[in-house]
Amino acid sequence: MEIRNEIKSYIVREGYTLSEVVEMLADEYGWSTSVPNLSGKLRRGSLRYREAIELADVLGYDLVWQKRKHE
């Protein structure tokens, strides 16, 4: 549930609705225009890595792998 809320917070932070994000994903990457489809993936935690990258991209973000600092 935590990841779902984090992703939704990024959507809201950028001033978009879920419907607008779905439209952008459909235009840019050929995703389904079904809001329940994306909502279900977020709820179930079944968003694929490629889909997460594409979602971040339409919101103007890059997903970055960063080595943890050892204390």
Side-chain angles (χ1 to χ4, degrees):
M1 192 67 90
E2 178 182 315
I3 293 172
R4 172 184 180 230
N5 291 335
E6 182 178 345
I7 291 173
K8 283 188 163 189
S9 75
Y10 281 107
I11 292 169
V12 170
R13 186 178 304 148
E14 293 306 314
Y16 296 115
T17 65
L18 207 52
S19 297
E20 291 170 323
V21 170
V22 166
E23 282 297 320
M24 292 188 303
L25 288 165
D27 290 346
E28 187 72 25
Y29 293 106
W31 282 38
S32 163
T33 56
S34 168
V35 173
N37 187 38
L38 177 56
S39 186
K41 286 181 180 200
L42 295 175
R43 186 178 61 255
R44 290 186 305 273
S46 62
L47 192 69
R48 294 180 175 156
Y49 184 65
R50 176 186 51 81
E51 293 169 331
I53 291 171
E54 292 170 356
L55 176 56
D57 181 57
V58 298
L59 292 175
Y61 290 86
D62 292 316
L63 296 183
V64 178
W65 287 52
Q66 183 175 341
K67 184 77 172 169
R68 286 185 219 120
K69 295 179 181 166
H70 296 283
E71 296 180 19

